[in-house]
Each structure stands twice: as C-alpha cells, then as structure tokens.
Amino acid sequence: MQRIRMSLPYFNNFGWEASVATVHPQHSNLVKDELLIEAVPKNIRIINIDAFSTKWTRKLGFGSLALRSMLYYKHSIDKLLANEKFDLIYFSTTEFPLLILGRHWKRKFGIPFVIDMQDPWHSDYYQNKPRQERPRKHWFSYRLNKWLEPKAMQMVDGLISVSQGYLDALCSRYPRLITVPQRVITFSAFEPDIKVMQKHANTFVLPFQKLAKNYHFVYVGRGGHDLQLSARLLFDGFKKGLEEAPELFTKVRFHFLGTSYAPKGQGKPTILPVASEFGLTNYVEEQTDRLPYYQTLYTLSNADHLVILGSDDPQYTASKVFPYLLSKIPILAFFHSKSSAAQIIEKCGAGKVIPIDSHGDTLKDLVYQYLHDLLRAQMPSHSINWKAFEPYLAPEMCKQQCIIFTDVIRQFNNA
C-alpha cells in the first residue's frame, strides 16, 4: 500500500493517470491511520472494494483479506474495464492470491499487467523450520501459493521487485520471465509524511515511558523468528556491556513496538523471549500491538537511538528503513551484508550496520564497542548524506515505475 500511496502525487509528472482499487477499510482488521489520506491528491479516484465478512468466513476456517475480497474485486473491476479504457493494471500488494486476477483481466479485456514483488510469493523459506516458527496456517498458504504463483507468472507482462534475488528466483522458476520487462525498485522515502506528522504531533502519545535518566533505543516493526539472530547479537553485546561497564549500560532501555500482525491484544512476543534467555527483561520491553503509521513516525523521532532488527535472508529489504532515515535519529541495524537495506544505510551514513552473516564472537564485540562508544559520547556527530539519499525519494522511485510501465506497453503492443 505504501508504495502506491507515495507514488500517487507523481504519476502525472511522468504521463500516467492513476485510479486505485482497494478493499474498503471496514473489511480490514489491521491498525488504521486516518491521516494517510492527507498525502493522497484529491483528484485520485479511489474505488472501494467490498469483501465477505470475517463473522462467517472464520467459521469456514479462513480470514484472509485476499480470499474474502477476490470475487468482489473481479466483479467490480470487470464492470470498470467494460466501460472505461485502461492501458495497464498494476498490482502492488502482498495479498498475493489477488494477483491471479491479472490473467483474467488480460484475457477478457486485453490489458497487460505488472506485479510488484515486495516479498516472495511462493517460498520454501519456512519448510525446514520448526512448526512453532512457521506463520499461522502455513500448510494451507504454502500450497495455495505454490498453485497460484505459476498461473500468474505464465501471463504477467512486467515485474518490479525490491530485491534482485526475488526476480532471479522467479526467472529460474519460470524461464519465460527472462524476456519480460523487469526492474529492481526499492521502497521509497516520502518527505511530506514528516510534515503531516509534525502537523498532528500534539495528538500523539509516546507508547513507552521516556525517562531522562535512561537512554532509549526504539524499534518499530514486525517481530518474528527470522529476526531472532539479530536480537541475540544485540543482546549478547549489550550483556557484555552490563558486565564490563555497568555504570554506562544500566541506563539503556530497549523498546520493541508493534511486533505482531495479530489483532490487538492477541499478538505473541518474539523478541522478549530472546531477552529473557539473556536475563535482560529489566532492560527490554515488547509491545505486540501494531502502531498507526504516523504514530510510528512520531515515536521514532522521539527516540535517543534507533535499532533495526533484520532478517538473515540476504534478499530482505525492510520498508521501515526510510521512515527511520527521515527521522534523522542515528541507527544501529542488523542485516545480511548483501541486503539492500544495509547498503542504503551505509551509503547515506545513517548509522552502523552489523553484518549478521559474519560469524564468531567478533560480532558481539562489535555491538559492545559501538554501544560503549555511544554511551561514552565518543561517537562522531550524526550527519546523513542527503545527496546520497535523493535517489530513494518518492519522485525518483515513481519515475522508475513509470519507465517499466512504458516498456511493458511497448512490448505488449509489438507482440
């Protein structure tokens, strides 16, 4: 959703007029942020799609928003395309089952479609993981994705992805994609969001207790078992600090916020149990309830320091990197060294990246030394290279999307 929202003000600049089809907010159980609409241009047409209610779909064993809305999407967009001329259909969502509709509309109306792969669709990542580390209903979703993905990829006309690795995997699995226009486009930074947050700053309340005597590290984003390697490295280095320099390290507090996608009050902590393994629960809190987007920006901007826990997957690209950068608060991040998120942070001089694909006690020492120097105030002044940051701003990212749209139209018309 954020990819599209941040691009809407700029599509016209590159010769494209956008209409947005999205499930009506009343059908989503996710945390909502009414302020998000402020940055959407008034002239953008938004088509609200209905969905089956979870009141009875859950009785059938599923609550997936994609599955609940698919028939409504098909019916509504069928009517739209029968009466109006559109050049392209662009899917930018992680509600993956909906992507199968691209082939239906292409066959029925002769309109090419582009898919934005923000995450892997069908993946074996969790197949060798213990059952307790797999997402809920993994058995069903794994088989559904394995069945649907090839149907969409047999007819897709263009691919966008946040990671070259995702594109390489798809091309290996479906050789026809080698000739399909494709481009790696990372998530973007949307500067107007900071102004919206500041405008409404007096309406927000910090979700953690900020005490002047403490030094507060803040993380806002999902948790999960794939982030626990990062958490262990952080806590291992921090524990060494407590042992060797308690006068410095005892004032540190870590706040991990919004770590679960589960409905409010139903999330299960995944970071706090790791802190407990190290005996650090007095220094670490985890709140699983998701935070609204602008509440997140406000929270980040009020931290003493930011921490990002990344996955051990080298293709992992965290969309949260850009709000973190815009907050102008220094960052301590844990990523695979090949992750684009790690490269963006280092390129922009936004903080320190711990390469979690390295091994041995050196990483623990690296974390410890960084924290020690920070708390001793021996760190150099924090100054982001904004020139290096410009390619990641929303206008440039929108331009890159429009380039591939044009390539898709040209190839489709010449076929």
Side-chain angles (χ1 to χ4, degrees):
M1 177 274 288
Q2 298 289 14
R3 165 97 81 188
I4 295 297
R5 183 184 71 86
M6 295 176 182
S7 300
L8 287 175
Y10 310 108
F11 279 129
N12 279 347
N13 296 352
F14 305 106
W16 289 85
E17 181 181 344
S19 295
V20 178
T22 181
V23 175
H24 195 287
Q26 70 184 19
H27 296 298
S28 173
N29 296 323
L30 297 176
V31 173
K32 300 174 180 64
D33 192 335
E34 304 296 336
L35 297 178
L36 286 169
I37 199 68
E38 288 195 16
V40 176
K42 304 299 183 186
N43 65 323
I44 296 295
R45 176 170 54 166
I46 299 177
I47 304 158
N48 286 308
I49 305 298
D50 210 346
F52 292 111
S53 171
T54 55
K55 290 181 180 179
W56 68 268
T57 60
R58 291 197 186 280
K59 294 179 182 178
L60 300 177
F62 72 92
S64 162
L65 187 59
L67 298 180
R68 290 191 291 116
S69 63
M70 184 176 291
L71 288 177
Y72 288 99
Y73 261 108
K74 179 179 178 298
H75 177 70
S76 297
I77 304 305
D78 276 359
K79 289 178 60 178
L80 178 70
L81 298 181
N83 292 287
E84 297 185 37
K85 175 71 169 69
F86 284 83
D87 298 302
L88 184 84
I89 297 171
Y90 180 31
F91 291 92
S92 186
T93 177
T94 53
E95 294 291 343
F96 292 117
L98 291 174
L99 307 187
I100 197 65
L101 290 172
R103 62 182 280 149
H104 163 71
W105 291 321
K106 182 177 180 179
R107 282 175 167 171
K108 187 168 184 176
F109 299 102
I111 303 175
F113 68 101
V114 173
I115 292 177
D116 175 17
M117 298 299 296
Q118 300 181 16
D119 285 316
W121 183 352
H122 169 58
S123 171
D124 292 324
Y125 181 81
Y126 288 102
Q127 284 302 95
N128 62 351
K129 304 294 183 185
R131 179 173 297 179
Q132 66 272 18
E133 293 188 11
R134 296 176 182 176
R136 291 180 66 249
K137 300 185 179 179
H138 173 72
W139 185 93
F140 174 75
S141 61
Y142 176 81
R143 284 155 181 80
L144 179 66
N145 293 339
K146 186 176 182 179
W147 178 54
L148 290 181
E149 184 186 80
K151 295 182 179 301
M153 295 302 160
Q154 286 165 6
M155 294 188 69
V156 70
D157 298 283
L159 291 171
I160 290 172
S161 178
V162 297
S163 166
Q164 184 62 49
Y166 296 168
L167 295 178
D168 291 343
L170 288 171
C171 289
S172 174
R173 199 176 294 159
Y174 313 105
R176 74 164 288 268
L177 296 179
I178 295 173
T179 61
V180 165
Q182 52 190 270
R183 185 176 289 256
V184 175
I185 305 176
T186 65
F187 296 111
S188 63
F190 193 55
E191 292 180 298
D193 279 339
I194 297 300
K195 294 180 180 179
V196 173
M197 180 273 289
Q198 292 171 342
K199 174 183 174 182
H200 297 277
N202 62 345
T203 67
F204 302 124
V205 177
L206 277 181
F208 66 92
Q209 187 178 17
K210 187 175 183 180
L211 301 177
K213 66 178 181 179
N214 293 329
Y215 193 87
H216 299 274
F217 284 81
V218 172
Y219 170 86
V220 183
R222 73 163 181 89
H225 294 281
D226 62 325
L227 306 186
Q228 290 188 346
L229 172 59
S230 294
R232 286 190 170 89
L233 289 172
L234 172 63
F235 295 146
D236 203 12
F238 175 65
K239 186 172 183 179
K240 178 179 179 179
L242 286 175
E243 294 167 349
E244 299 196 6
E247 73 284 358
L248 293 176
F249 282 76
T250 52
K251 67 179 182 179
V252 170
R253 296 294 181 272
F254 294 99
H255 309 278
F256 297 92
L257 311 170
T259 57
S260 174
Y261 291 113
K264 188 174 182 179
Q266 299 181 31
K268 295 182 178 180
T270 53
I271 306 302
L272 194 59
V274 180
S276 181
E277 292 176 17
F278 287 85
L280 299 176
T281 53
N282 289 339
Y283 303 93
V284 178
E285 73 160 330
E286 179 177 4
Q287 299 179 26
T288 59
D289 290 347
R290 301 292 290 178
L291 297 183
Y293 180 71
Y294 287 106
Q295 171 72 68
T296 293
L297 294 182
Y298 177 78
T299 301
L300 295 176
S301 66
N302 279 277
D304 294 315
H305 207 288
L306 301 176
V307 60
I308 304 180
L309 301 182
S311 169
D312 55 357
D313 181 353
Q315 307 306 328
Y316 180 78
T317 302
S319 60
K320 68 177 72 70
V321 164
F322 296 104
Y324 275 60
L325 284 163
L326 288 175
S327 74
K328 301 180 182 179
I329 305 295
I331 300 167
L332 173 61
F334 296 78
F335 287 111
H336 193 287
S337 59
K338 293 184 179 180
S339 167
S340 62
Q343 295 163 14
I344 290 168
I345 290 172
E346 292 183 329
K347 182 178 179 180
C348 296
K352 176 70 174 180
V353 176
I354 305 297
I356 62 177
D357 49 314
S358 300
H359 300 285
D361 290 338
T362 55
L363 290 184
K364 176 177 73 173
D365 294 336
L366 198 61
V367 174
Y368 162 74
Q369 194 60 54
Y370 179 85
L371 295 175
H372 182 273
D373 291 347
L374 174 69
L375 297 170
R376 283 276 191 205
Q378 296 177 1
M379 300 294 289
S381 59
H382 178 67
S383 179
I384 292 178
N385 182 348
W386 294 110
K387 189 67 176 177
F389 192 47
E390 286 180 5
Y392 305 105
L393 294 177
E396 178 60 28
M397 294 296 102
C398 181
K399 178 182 177 181
Q400 296 303 315
Q401 292 167 75
C402 292
I403 288 173
I404 198 169
F405 296 166
T406 301
D407 289 344
V408 165
I409 295 295
R410 183 184 301 114
Q411 183 165 311
F412 183 75
N413 290 336
N414 292 335

